[in-house]
């Protein structure tokens, strides 16, 4: 299993890549953690707006 995310640069070098299932799980967990933090911050801002 191999994934690669690249910037639309002319040289097309990968800016983010991982190849093993363990790497995939680790990156998915990192993304999930970021998403939870974003949702927490959105809730915090909404709370401030509504007061």
């Amino acid at each position: 299993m191999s994934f690669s995310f690249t910037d639309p640069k002319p040289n097309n070098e990968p800016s983010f890549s991982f190849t093993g299932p363990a790497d995939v799980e680790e990156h998915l967990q990192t993304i999930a953690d970021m998403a939870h933090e974003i949702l927490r911050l959105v809730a915090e801002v909404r709370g401030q707006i509504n007061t």
Side-chain angles (χ1 to χ4, degrees):
M1 183 181 297
S2 177
F3 293 90
S4 181
F5 297 89
T6 58
D7 288 331
K9 295 178 185 170
N11 59 10
N12 206 25
E13 288 183 56
S15 57
F16 187 96
S17 65
F18 49 95
T19 55
D23 286 341
V24 173
E25 282 300 316
E26 185 178 327
H27 287 290
L28 289 176
Q29 185 60 53
T30 300
I31 292 165
D33 291 345
M34 288 179 189
H36 285 242
E37 179 66 8
I38 290 166
L39 292 173
R40 186 189 69 76
L41 292 169
V42 167
E44 186 177 304
V45 170
R46 280 188 178 150
Q48 292 174 0
I49 290 171
N50 293 332
T51 54

